[in-house]
Amino acid sequence: MGNQTALERRVANLEKMIEVSRALRSAFDLRSLLQLIIEAIVELAHCERSSIFLIDPETGELRFVALTGPEFDLVRDIVVPLESSIAGTVVLSKEPLVVSDVQSDPRFFPHVDEITGQRTKSLLGVPLEIGGRAIGVLQAVNKSSGETFDEEDVETLLVFSSQAAAAIENTRLIEEQRQRLTEVVLLQEVLLTLSRYIELDQLLEQLLVQLEEFLGYENCAVLMFDKEQSALLVTAYRGFGSAGINDRAVLADEQSASGWVALHGRPIHLTEVGHGTGIVPFLPATRSAVAVPMLSGPATDLVGVICLESSEPNAFTERDVRILSTIATQVAIGIRQAELYQASQRANQIKQEFITTMSHELRTPMTVIMGYCDLLSGQSLGALGDSQLSALKVIRDRSDVLLRLLNDVLDFAKIVSGQLELHPSLVNLSQAVQLAVEQRLAHGQRKNLSISIDVPLDCQYAIADAKRLHQILSHLIENAIKFSPDQRPIAIKAAAYDVDYVRIDVIDQGIGIKPEDREIIFEDFRQVDGSFTREYGGAGIGLSISRHLVELQGGLIWVESEYGKGSTFSFILPRPPSSSG
């Protein structure tokens, strides 16, 4: 360098700045960019090493963000005081500063030298500015020749610092946009998870996978709050090595990050665990931690806590706290919904078990009653008069109705629980309709109703469970008889529907159904007139079961009706391939 003229040095520095400028424009990762800058400072200022300080946008603190050499990991994110340091003086004054004898300068911050084992003798600091706003400092440390930094060095780094500041700001903005996009995508994924998973274990496991995938958290745990024990239980976690923290109980006190959050109901951010905090982490090697509450509804409704731990100091930022708090609110709502769903499922299970048990218990004595009615009516137990026989017939008929109702309730319980077995086969529709009509004919004759059947030859067959088809036809025929005035005809017709289906219509000239009530009649245990004083009896289950049975066999059922003039209940079932087309 001694033989290099000032002009040659300027030309060399200019060429280097042009080369570095291209590299700075192509760098979109802040860490890589900072590495390029400190390497360029060493070459431009002909010094032993260099460093960069940046002002933290969230805290306003001046922090080490880059340093030449492997020692950087030892000093990463060290906070340098603004008021009593050389770097702070450069930031506040926005002027370059040359210090020839650093060790004798009272503003010297020796902490870095003590950690790295390096010795700083002289340095040059220049401000990083954007639009007159200082964002940090570039420092050149120890001139390679042993001399003092001169005006040429100051001028060179000032020119370079303007390029470096613009590149840092642009990269920061790009990374900020990336972070915001990551937050939006993560929140969308979390909301999708909440809508997709109902089981709590699956929901929490998927949540932890997403937090690790999008944000790269090292150790993450979800703790559910148990009000009875006033404690948190580790319900799901990722990381934590082989610590085996599952089901560990954490008291709601100030001895742990999660307990502190449960006690106070707000997030906690620990940059240095164990440094006078009195908080004990899950892992002994933990240096920093974040925990946020999962709150649902009122602020006092604590669902649980999301807790993060890291073996590095200052591993988490206020951004992490913000993201986790937003996610925790949504997760709390999802957990409450999952809990309600599980409670509802359990209640439904208990209800179905009760219905099944009671139906079985009632069906046995009903069968006995019907058997004794038949014995008495046959007078095998002794002669009976006409009035007694007439009374027995009423008992027998009503018992038959009640037994069919019990069978319907049992079938409904099987349908809801998914335990109903179907055995589809080739069924003769004409015979099936005829059998159903014959079994309901006596009921129709009491009201002087005629029932006609029209099943064309090309619609004789369908693919269905014969027993369940009979059940569907019986319900629809009973329904038509029940709601038809005396002496009104009922018709049952079959016709081709599209190519692959056959349609069966049960047509009455009864009371009809209002348009707003047509969907209600197919709902479980619903009737148009739901009052206790309704004119027509029934449990409101026949049409519901018919709908389920038709749909389970690949068909559809619907009603067309004009209020006061009658209704047509129609359903379709698959036809055998040979009869289609």
Side-chain angles (χ1 to χ4, degrees), residues 159-336:
V159 173
F160 177 66
S161 69
S162 62
Q163 296 180 9
I168 290 171
E169 190 72 1
N170 289 338
T171 305
R172 271 182 165 181
L173 290 174
I174 291 171
E175 289 201 343
E176 184 179 336
Q177 292 301 319
R178 285 176 180 167
Q179 291 174 353
R180 289 180 179 177
L181 180 60
T182 299
E183 292 177 26
V184 171
V185 173
L186 174 59
L187 187 56
Q188 288 177 338
E189 289 294 320
V190 169
L191 292 174
L192 184 60
T193 295
L194 297 178
S195 65
R196 181 183 298 167
Y197 294 95
I198 296 298
E199 295 295 333
L200 184 58
D201 292 344
Q202 294 178 345
L203 187 155
L204 295 180
E205 181 61 29
Q206 187 61 24
L207 170 67
L208 294 177
V209 169
Q210 290 168 345
L211 291 179
E212 183 180 46
E213 178 182 347
F214 282 90
L215 302 176
Y217 294 143
E218 183 179 351
N219 303 301
C220 184
V222 178
L223 300 88
M224 299 297 292
F225 184 62
D226 187 321
K227 290 183 179 179
E228 294 182 359
Q229 300 182 39
S230 188
L232 297 161
L233 298 177
V234 178
T235 308
Y237 71 95
R238 288 181 75 85
F240 293 98
S242 58
I245 65 172
N246 201 42
D247 293 328
R248 184 182 296 186
V250 176
L251 295 178
D253 56 28
E254 296 187 347
Q255 300 302 307
S256 67
S258 301
W260 191 97
V261 170
L263 186 65
H264 296 283
R266 62 179 186 271
I268 187 171
H269 180 194
L270 301 170
T271 57
E272 281 287 344
V273 174
H275 285 207
T277 62
I279 287 180
V280 179
F282 284 116
L283 297 175
T286 293
R287 297 288 303 280
S288 55
V290 165
V292 298
M294 296 187 293
L295 300 171
S296 175
T300 55
D301 185 12
L302 178 68
V303 178
V305 173
I306 299 176
C307 180
L308 309 178
E309 291 187 7
S310 175
S311 57
E312 295 185 5
N314 301 305
F316 307 107
T317 65
E318 290 302 315
R319 168 181 169 265
D320 292 308
V321 178
R322 186 184 70 251
I323 294 173
L324 281 177
S325 297
T326 301
I327 291 172
T329 301
Q330 299 301 320
V331 172
I333 297 171
I335 289 174
R336 283 288 184 251

Side-chain angles (χ1 to χ4, degrees), residues 4 84 106 133 168 186 230-231 273 302 340 441 483 501 515 534 566:
Q4 191 178 36
S84 58
R133 172 176 58 90
I168 290 171
L186 174 59
S230 188
V273 174
L302 178 68
L340 289 174
L441 196 57
F483 293 103
Y501 294 90
R534 59 178 181 250

Side-chain angles (χ1 to χ4, degrees), residues 344-357:
S344 173
Q345 289 294 93
R346 179 56 184 156
N348 283 335
Q349 182 182 354
I350 294 172
K351 181 183 71 175
Q352 296 305 325
E353 291 173 355
F354 173 78
I355 290 173
T356 301
T357 302

